[in-house]
Amino acid sequence: MSKARDIVETLRTVLVDGDVTNANFTGADLEVGKGGTGASSAGAARTALGLAIGTDVLAPNGSAANLTNLPAGGAEDFVASGTLPNGSPVILKANGQVEVVAASANYSSTTLTTPIASAYAFSTARSQYNNVQWDPSDSTKFVVAWTDGASSNSGYAAVGSVSGDAITFGTSVQFDSYSLGDMDANAISFDPNQSGRFVIFYSSQGSGQGSRAIVGTRSGTNLSFGTSAQVFNSTGVQPSIEFDPNTSGQFLMNWGDSANNLRVGTLSGTTLSFGTLVTISASFNQSNLAVDPTNAGKYVIVYQDGADSDHGYAAVITVSGTTPSMGTPVKFLSSACISPHVVYDSGVSNAFVIVFVDNGDSNKAKAVAGVVSGTSLSVGTRIEYNTASSASTMIAADPNNTGTFVATSDDGVGRATVLARSSTNTVTAGTSYALYNAANTKGAIEFNPSTSKTGQFVYVTEDRSASPYVGKAVIGQLASTLSTNLTSTNFLGTATAAYTNGQTASIMLKGGI
């Protein structure tokens, strides 16, 4: 017992009662292996223990971006609708499939971009009977043809080049070696199946020249022409020409003289040939043709019938081989019809829209929609798109927007209205805009057919605000709105790899790793 007390007393001399403090502790830092931290400061202790903040453990305000080797989680399988690029954001469709998030510009509106761009002169002398066609092989090029008052009223043409809404013109070229005397009208049409190739159909009052056609070729900003061919041996009026995109090299011409005529032409390289001349009436005036882009050999003709007090009529023209024939005419206006023009709806079989000036209603500009069935047609209810008194109308269909048109009306300035064909025989009108806010007349309009220039069109006219009445051109644009398939509720996640339509796609859901 005495020995135990001796041991306790000895320990009391070695150990210190109470807490160990810096004051009563001496010696090196206690090793980790012996229960210590191996350090004498908090930072050094964390490092020694493998707990350094930002290196071994996540800082309280840090990011998890550098975490690695974590197991994947949150991915589910869906059926791909369309192509899904790797990593692309996707939405969930109503049918349970997934498609990539997309946005596009919608040009199917009834408004134009304002203000309208500046006008650019393509002639230095009086320019009459202006016509224009965009080259379907080049989104930046169109050809304008006109009667040049400084050159015995001969026919001239030039290439217009478009950059943004600015236009530059190449050197103007007289397209016939004859002294034309007085070219009182022309029409131009590009062959959609031959790059840079077009035909100008025109009428001359020169002795023995009559109605003629000539092949033109555009190369860059340069024009070249072949030898003109006589279509008819007397002077014609209101010439109209349309290539059929469904029949290579074939086009239909229409014009009036003492009668109204139809003739099929064929373009092979730079050579023209013609079918049989068909006379359809001695009383049809101010006629105009439109070709159906979806049905080979189908056209609609509109005209005023002098035998019926110049009332407005329309009829189907069918081409079989190289012979045209006309179906039963249908009256669309029971009063004098001035400057009727017609165009087919883009991408819609058998649908068309007619514009005209109603002489029986204060010369208001009006429109009516119609459909073709075989060799017959029907029309709907007429609408007004410019209530001001107008001298002429024109219309063009946007080839990249089904049911969208721009109609012009000459009411003292160059004016345009967007028309929308919403159903079989229904057309509505938007707001009218001044395309060229100066006195002008006999404007022509044409849309750019390129999908990269959706909603863009060119308008050419005779500027009568100064002397001489030079030809001017202006670029217009349909207004657009941005549309997207993304909503506030349908975003799903991202594709974990690249997938094609119909494949089972692994989609990392929102919040997944």
Side-chain angles (χ1 to χ4, degrees):
M1 189 70 177
S2 173
K3 187 175 182 177
R5 285 196 296 270
D6 292 340
I7 293 172
V8 169
E9 290 297 324
T10 301
L11 289 173
R12 284 178 176 174
T13 64
V14 176
L15 299 177
V16 180
D17 290 333
D19 295 334
V20 177
T21 67
N22 289 333
N24 58 31
F25 180 80
T26 60
D29 296 333
L30 187 61
E31 299 174 13
V32 174
K34 295 181 179 180
T37 64
S40 55
S41 69
R46 285 192 292 268
T47 299
L49 295 173
L51 299 173
I53 296 174
T55 301
D56 302 310
V57 297
L58 188 66
N61 62 345
S63 168
N66 292 325
L67 297 180
T68 60
N69 298 321
L70 295 174
E76 297 289 344
D77 289 341
F78 297 85
V79 176
S81 175
T83 300
L84 305 182
N86 186 15
S88 60
V90 300
I91 64 165
L92 181 64
K93 299 174 64 177
N95 62 2
Q97 297 180 351
V98 292
E99 69 179 6
V100 70
V101 174
S104 61
N106 176 23
Y107 294 93
S108 298
S109 65
T110 55
T111 57
L112 298 176
T113 298
T114 55
I116 299 299
S118 301
Y120 297 86
F122 56 81
S123 69
T124 57
R126 183 174 184 181
S127 169
Q128 301 181 84
Y129 307 110
N130 308 296
N131 250 305
V132 64
Q133 273 275 301
W134 220 291
D135 188 340
S137 68
D138 191 327
S139 65
T140 66
K141 298 292 189 294
F142 62 84
V143 172
V144 58
W146 71 94
T147 300
D148 194 305
S151 183
S152 302
N153 289 335
S154 298
Y156 275 76
V159 176
S161 299
V162 180
S163 177
D165 56 19
I167 308 172
T168 57
F169 288 96
T171 303
S172 58
V173 179
Q174 185 177 357
F175 55 76
D176 198 314
S177 59
Y178 287 97
S179 175
L180 297 182
D182 185 4
M183 189 190 76
D184 63 0
N186 79 86
I188 180 173
S189 183
F190 268 89
D191 184 351
N193 297 303
Q194 291 194 69
S195 179
R197 197 65 51 79
F198 60 94
V199 172
I200 298 179
F201 178 36
Y202 58 98
S203 174
S204 171
Q205 294 181 3
S207 176
Q209 294 174 31
S211 300
R212 308 185 72 86
I214 194 167
V215 180
T217 302
R218 184 199 64 81
S219 177
T221 59
N222 299 316
L223 293 177
S224 59
F225 292 93
T227 303
S228 67
Q230 191 174 79
V231 179
F232 195 68
N233 61 6
S234 66
T235 300
V237 294
Q238 288 91 40
S240 182
I241 181 172
E242 289 283 345
F243 269 93
D244 185 346
N246 307 287
T247 307
S248 181
Q250 188 175 92
F251 57 90
L252 180 63
M253 298 177 290
N254 170 248
W255 72 99
D257 58 327
S258 58
N260 197 274
N261 306 283
L262 294 169
R263 198 169 193 181
V264 174
T266 302
L267 173 62
S268 178
T270 59
T271 302
L272 291 171
S273 59
F274 303 99
T276 303
L277 177 69
V278 175
T279 298
I280 53 176
S281 173
S283 60
F284 294 175
N285 299 306
Q286 298 192 17
S287 53
N288 180 249
L289 282 174
V291 63
D292 187 339
T294 61
N295 287 318
K298 286 293 184 182
Y299 297 78
V300 166
I301 186 172
V302 293
Y303 56 92
Q304 59 173 220
D305 189 348
D308 188 19
S309 303
D310 290 337
H311 290 185
Y313 281 82
V316 177
I317 303 294
T318 303
V319 173
S320 178
T322 59
T323 303
S325 59
M326 189 174 78
T328 303
V330 172
K331 184 185 294 191
F332 62 83
L333 180 64
S334 296
S335 60
C337 180
I338 299 172
S339 183
H341 282 81
V342 60
V343 69
Y344 268 87
D345 199 345
S346 302
V348 179
S349 181
N350 299 317
F352 61 89
V353 174
I354 305 168
V355 294
F356 54 93
V357 172
D358 187 349
N359 186 243
D361 188 15
S362 304
N363 287 341
K364 296 176 182 178
K366 298 184 178 183
V368 65
V371 293
V372 171
S373 178
T375 59
S376 302
L377 59 79
S378 61
V379 295
T381 302
R382 297 182 301 275
I383 66 161
E384 298 173 357
Y385 67 88
N386 188 357
T387 58
S389 177
S390 299
S392 63
T393 63
M394 289 285 287
I395 185 170
D398 186 345
N400 299 308
N401 278 307
T402 297
T404 304
F405 310 81
V406 170
T408 65
S409 49
D410 170 23
D411 63 0
V413 300
R415 199 169 300 281
T417 307
V418 182
L419 303 180
R421 196 193 68 84
S422 56
S423 63
T424 301
N425 280 343
T426 302
V427 61
T428 56
T431 305
S432 291
Y433 296 87
L435 283 178
Y436 184 55
N437 198 16
N440 67 98
T441 186
K442 298 185 183 301
I445 188 170
E446 183 73 15
F447 268 97
N448 191 332
S450 172
T451 55
S452 66
K453 300 293 183 180
T454 297
Q456 185 184 71
F457 61 88
V458 60
Y459 172 75
V460 297
T461 188
E462 175 188 344
D463 182 356
R464 292 193 169 188
S465 63
S467 181
Y469 297 162
V470 299
K472 295 285 185 70
V474 63
I475 295 298
Q477 177 68 51
L478 291 178
S480 65
T481 56
L482 187 65
S483 61
T484 178
N485 57 1
L486 181 66
T487 70
S488 60
T489 60
N490 68 359
F491 177 70
L492 185 65
T494 56
T496 61
Y499 301 99
T500 59
N501 183 55
Q503 280 190 314
T504 298
S506 176
I507 305 300
M508 187 61 62
L509 305 182
K510 290 186 296 183
I513 299 174

